[in-house]
Amino acid sequence: MRVRVLVFLALLLLATLGGGIADTSAQTPSPDDINRVAKQLSCPTCAGINVADCPTETCAQWRAKIGELLAAGKTDQEILEYFASRYGDHVLQVPPPRGFFLGVWIVPVLAILAALGTFGYLVHRWTQRSARPETSAASPEEVEDEYLRRVQRELDTWWK
Amino acid sequence: MVEMTEEGAIPPSPARPHPAGRRLIGLIVVLALLGTLLGVLAWGLQPRTSATLLGQPAPPFEITAINGEFAGQRFALADLRGHVVVLNIWASWCIECAREASVLEQAWRAYRPRGVWFIGVDYLDTDTAGLAYLKRFDITYPNGPDIGSRIYQAYRATGVPETFFIDRDGIIRHVQIGPIGRAQLDMLLERLLTPGVSQP
């Protein structure tokens, strides 16, 4: 019985230590953790490079800040919001759907809707044309212009 | 002469817009789209550099100082009306900014008794790095972070360092792109402090 109790206590101790180790590792973010967030931020002083891949001093400072915030228990989203409010929305790799960047989300949707509408209209027109009964080229029904209509009438009179 | 017989009569066509009318509407739509596109392009191609603000009223700004005796104090341009203001945009990672840091601090100490305010705007920095920079150069005039990069954008800055000399009426009289030397700084401030002379 005493052995069982000792084994139980030993296991409990190991579990506690294990948990402690796990907590410690959660408080010390790995480079992968930092880069995961840094990849979602744009280098503010270069063009088209994310903070994870950027070799500048600015981005080194930002990566250190991301590490600090992760260590403080902030989530990825909270860190991104911190950087956006501190430095502006333009530092986010994915522009947020607000303010000036709202257009980035709305314009493509409007363009797709306009393209679909135009395509639908054209298909409708083409199908209507092809559905019309075959008539001779000189059929009066086809002629809309008043002048051509008169010419058609003249021709009809001549051929009678 | 056309004879209008019952047989020869053409049935009226259904009411549809005239082809020429439809073409005109299409042309108007295309021209409107092109005009909008060209307008947006022209707007985008307009020069938006800090130099274009010369002679213009300085955009309003507000910072909360993080250093020295001013730490925690709020500074707004509107509250500094009647004073000559030197607005310097810098960053700790900017090598050229470090070249002028001591010059600005010396000038602040020299011109503070004459009512000149130096304001530092820390652009794209972390607080730790910004404070370390201020400590390294023993900068005592008020400095604060550019929250949301709003001041940088409002002043159309093209990089760091950039320094704006604002006269007592709130008009930008000089824009210094890149580091400034003491002689030039003195010359500009003396001109701005001379009554009746505002154009350096």
Side-chain angles (χ1 to χ4, degrees):
Chain A
M1 184 66 187
R2 284 182 72 183
V3 175
R4 277 187 190 171
V5 170
L6 281 173
V7 169
F8 174 74
L9 285 173
L11 285 171
L12 194 68
L13 186 67
L14 274 174
T16 314
L17 280 175
I21 289 163
D23 282 345
T24 310
S25 64
Q27 284 170 1
T28 314
S30 68
D32 283 347
D33 291 332
I34 293 170
N35 284 340
R36 184 188 64 240
V37 182
K39 274 185 188 299
Q40 298 174 67
L41 293 167
S42 303
C43 169
T45 53
C46 334
I49 304 177
N50 66 58
V51 171
D53 299 333
C54 179
T56 62
E57 177 66 23
T58 321
C59 290
Q61 288 175 6
W62 282 27
R63 285 193 294 272
K65 186 67 187 177
I66 293 168
E68 271 176 39
L69 293 169
L70 283 171
K74 300 283 182 198
T75 64
D76 291 11
Q77 192 55 39
E78 284 170 339
I79 296 171
L80 294 175
E81 276 165 18
Y82 164 80
F83 274 91
S85 64
R86 179 77 162 73
Y87 304 107
D89 286 340
H90 64 279
V91 303
L92 297 174
Q93 284 266 305
V94 178
R98 61 174 176 246
F100 172 78
F101 293 105
L102 195 61
V104 177
W105 295 87
I106 288 176
V107 169
V109 174
L110 289 178
I112 289 168
L113 286 176
L116 284 173
T118 309
F119 181 71
Y121 172 72
L122 289 174
V123 167
H124 176 72
R125 269 186 61 179
W126 292 331
T127 48
Q128 275 213 330
R129 253 186 212 173
S130 59
R132 276 185 198 165
E134 284 289 325
T135 51
S136 68
S139 168
E141 285 82 2
E142 286 293 315
V143 182
E144 291 182 0
D145 192 273
E146 184 55 33
Y147 174 74
L148 288 176
R149 214 178 282 170
R150 287 182 67 183
V151 171
Q152 184 62 46
R153 276 186 227 130
E154 292 275 6
L155 285 169
D156 288 346
T157 316
W158 270 92
W159 287 111
K160 273 186 180 174
Chain B
M1 187 69 187
V2 179
E3 276 185 48
M4 294 301 289
T5 61
E6 198 61 37
E7 293 140 19
I10 299 164
S13 60
R16 291 171 64 187
H18 197 274
R22 271 187 287 167
R23 260 182 241 125
L24 186 68
I25 291 167
L27 189 69
I28 288 168
V29 169
V30 169
L31 284 176
L33 285 172
L34 271 175
T36 310
L37 188 68
L38 286 174
V40 169
L41 269 175
W43 181 78
L45 290 172
Q46 265 186 341
R48 288 181 192 284
T49 60
S50 48
T52 59
L53 290 175
L54 208 61
Q56 303 290 318
F61 67 80
E62 195 178 306
I63 65 152
T64 302
I66 55 168
N67 61 316
E69 64 179 292
F70 301 109
Q73 284 184 42
R74 189 186 135 274
F75 288 86
L77 181 62
D79 299 336
L80 299 172
R81 185 58 63 90
H83 293 271
V84 170
V85 176
V86 179
L87 183 77
N88 175 245
I89 303 179
W90 61 275
S92 69
W93 40 263
C94 156
I95 294 162
E96 293 296 297
C97 299
R99 279 180 57 197
E100 66 171 12
S102 299
V103 170
L104 290 169
E105 176 59 25
Q106 285 163 18
W108 155 247
R109 291 181 190 190
Y111 285 94
R112 185 181 184 183
R114 296 173 68 184
V116 177
W117 277 93
F118 279 58
I119 303 284
V121 176
D122 187 9
Y123 174 64
L124 293 178
D125 244 333
T126 57
D127 288 341
T128 317
L131 279 168
Y133 176 94
L134 293 170
K135 196 175 171 187
R136 181 179 154 207
F137 292 102
D138 189 24
I139 293 172
T140 58
Y141 58 88
N143 276 266
D146 185 8
I147 301 295
S149 304
R150 289 190 202 103
I151 300 174
Y152 184 90
Q153 284 168 11
Y155 279 76
R156 302 178 186 175
T158 52
V160 278
E162 280 200 19
T163 309
F164 298 82
F165 291 79
I166 303 164
D167 71 11
R168 291 184 170 115
D169 298 320
I171 305 295
I172 295 175
R173 293 301 177 189
H174 181 77
V175 179
Q176 179 69 27
I177 297 173
I180 193 164
R182 183 61 197 265
Q184 191 189 4
L185 213 153
D186 284 341
M187 186 268 289
L188 290 164
L189 286 177
E190 290 301 337
R191 294 291 294 269
L192 287 172
L193 288 167
T194 306
V197 181
S198 57
Q199 194 82 37

